[in-house]
Amino acid sequence: MERRAWPRSITLPLILIVLGIAFLVSNLGNWNIWDFLIRMWPVWLIAVGLDILIGRQSRIGAIIVAAVTLAILGGGVWYYAVNTPMAGALSSEQVNQPLNAARRADIEINSSIGELQVHESADANLLVSGTVYRLTGETIDKEAANSGDTAIYRLRSRMLATIPSIGPTQRGKWDLGLNPGVPMSLKLGTGVGQSNIDLSRLQVTDLELNTGVGQTTVVMPRQGVIRAKINTGIGQAEIIIPAGMAASIRAHTGIGAFRVNGDYTHMGNSSYVSPNYATAANRLDLEVSGGIGEVHVRTGN
């Protein structure tokens, strides 16, 4: 019996199938297919590159390429569709957590879909303050406690499992200020959307940042001895280290680019260090784990 040869590439048929489905959805609804295709062009490059690298070697390689491509496309479709809910679907909720007598803080913030902004607070009596614009089907869980002189605060999003609408939308937004007068351990999760995190005037001693899908900009503190771990998901991440803050940077890259600009010595294996790191009063120990996309570390003002 003659055996059928395994096709040498499945990338083109897979792309054609995805394009056909996308055009069908566009014809049935009001999805701007051209905007979507333009935004998703890096996915096609990833798919072709993976196919050349492993997809043409075996059936297993082709299956891996198809699975990775569909996973990235799925994340892109989800981000494009639910980046913001339907107009008029948002409701606001105020966040006003008193500082009380706390001398330190342990804060965790996990957003879901939309824009996340974190910066210093103008109210010295509040640990966390700001406004959260909740999406349809979203609830905000708040937890506050004290352990000795440390204030413990958790702010998390919880979403119902719903199918997002595709059409005219507006952005959800979390706009939160943190007290600059207390040292804090900070854990952030950005979810899906654009994030602007300005820690330059905050006393962050330990930072864990987990990004989801979208673009993230984080400005590190200007002073202190800081340990930071940043895990990037899908999209772009820009990490700005203020001038005068010495840094030791270690990176574990994923699929994408990792760049470092500034006065750093390349130590090999994606490791960089400031010339005066060992003796600097203000120094940052930064570990970056890259996902799919671009990570750029640079020196700021």
Side-chain angles (χ1 to χ4, degrees):
M1 178 181 295
E2 182 180 357
R3 297 182 61 184
R4 297 179 59 186
W6 176 253
R8 305 300 290 175
S9 173
I10 65 169
T11 299
L12 180 57
L14 181 63
I15 290 176
L16 291 177
I17 291 171
V18 171
L19 290 178
I21 294 173
F23 278 108
L24 176 61
V25 173
S26 178
N27 289 336
L28 295 177
N30 59 352
W31 190 4
N32 186 343
I33 183 62
W34 298 111
D35 180 69
F36 171 77
L37 293 178
I38 291 173
R39 289 175 182 270
M40 294 300 293
W41 68 264
V43 177
W44 318 132
L45 296 182
I46 293 172
V48 173
L50 288 174
D51 184 65
I52 294 174
L53 184 63
I54 61 176
R56 302 183 184 185
Q57 306 301 318
S58 64
R59 289 183 176 87
I60 295 178
I63 293 172
I64 292 174
V65 171
V68 171
T69 302
L70 291 175
I72 299 172
L73 280 170
V77 170
W78 177 260
Y79 172 68
Y80 186 87
V82 303
N83 183 35
T84 52
M86 293 297 293
L90 303 180
S91 58
S92 64
E93 182 172 337
Q94 295 299 311
V95 177
N96 293 294
Q97 177 61 33
L99 176 62
N100 296 323
R103 297 183 179 181
R104 294 189 57 84
D106 181 352
I107 300 174
E108 179 180 344
I109 298 171
N110 281 296
S111 62
S112 59
I113 300 167
E115 181 181 354
L116 172 64
Q117 291 191 357
V118 177
H119 47 80
E120 67 170 323
S121 171
D123 193 331
N125 296 316
L126 296 177
L127 175 63
V128 183
S129 60
T131 305
V132 173
Y133 294 91
R134 291 186 288 108
L135 313 182
T136 299
E138 180 181 24
T139 58
I140 306 300
D141 292 337
K142 303 174 185 176
E143 300 177 16
N146 286 87
S147 177
D149 62 355
T150 301
I152 301 173
Y153 187 73
R154 305 287 184 259
L155 188 67
R156 302 186 183 99
S157 168
R158 185 157 49 89
M159 292 288 297
L160 296 177
T162 57
I163 298 175
S165 300
I166 298 176
T169 60
Q170 62 177 201
R171 290 182 177 274
K173 184 176 181 180
W174 290 34
D175 188 353
L176 301 171
L178 307 182
N179 194 307
V182 291
M184 66 182 66
S185 173
L186 183 60
K187 183 176 181 180
L188 300 173
T190 66
V192 179
Q194 182 176 352
S195 302
N196 293 285
I197 301 166
D198 186 355
L199 309 178
S200 60
R201 299 183 183 277
L202 299 178
Q203 298 184 51
V204 178
T205 57
D206 292 272
L207 171 67
E208 180 179 341
L209 171 61
N210 299 298
T211 72
V213 180
Q215 182 176 359
T216 300
T217 300
V218 54
V219 182
M220 304 303 296
R222 292 183 178 277
Q223 296 180 334
V225 178
I226 306 136
R227 292 182 300 175
K229 184 175 182 179
I230 298 179
N231 303 306
T232 64
I234 300 174
Q236 295 179 326
E238 183 177 34
I239 303 168
I240 302 173
I241 301 175
M245 173 63 72
S248 172
I249 305 167
R250 300 179 306 281
H252 310 282
T253 58
I255 301 176
F258 178 79
R259 295 184 292 128
V260 175
N261 295 111
D263 185 17
Y264 302 105
T265 301
H266 187 195
M267 307 299 291
N269 296 324
S270 297
S271 296
Y272 303 82
V273 66
S274 300
N276 63 334
Y277 176 78
T279 58
N282 300 306
R283 60 183 185 273
L284 167 67
D285 183 359
L286 174 62
E287 181 178 352
V288 180
S289 295
I292 299 174
E294 179 181 359
V295 178
H296 182 200
V297 180
R298 68 176 179 86
T299 302
N301 298 322

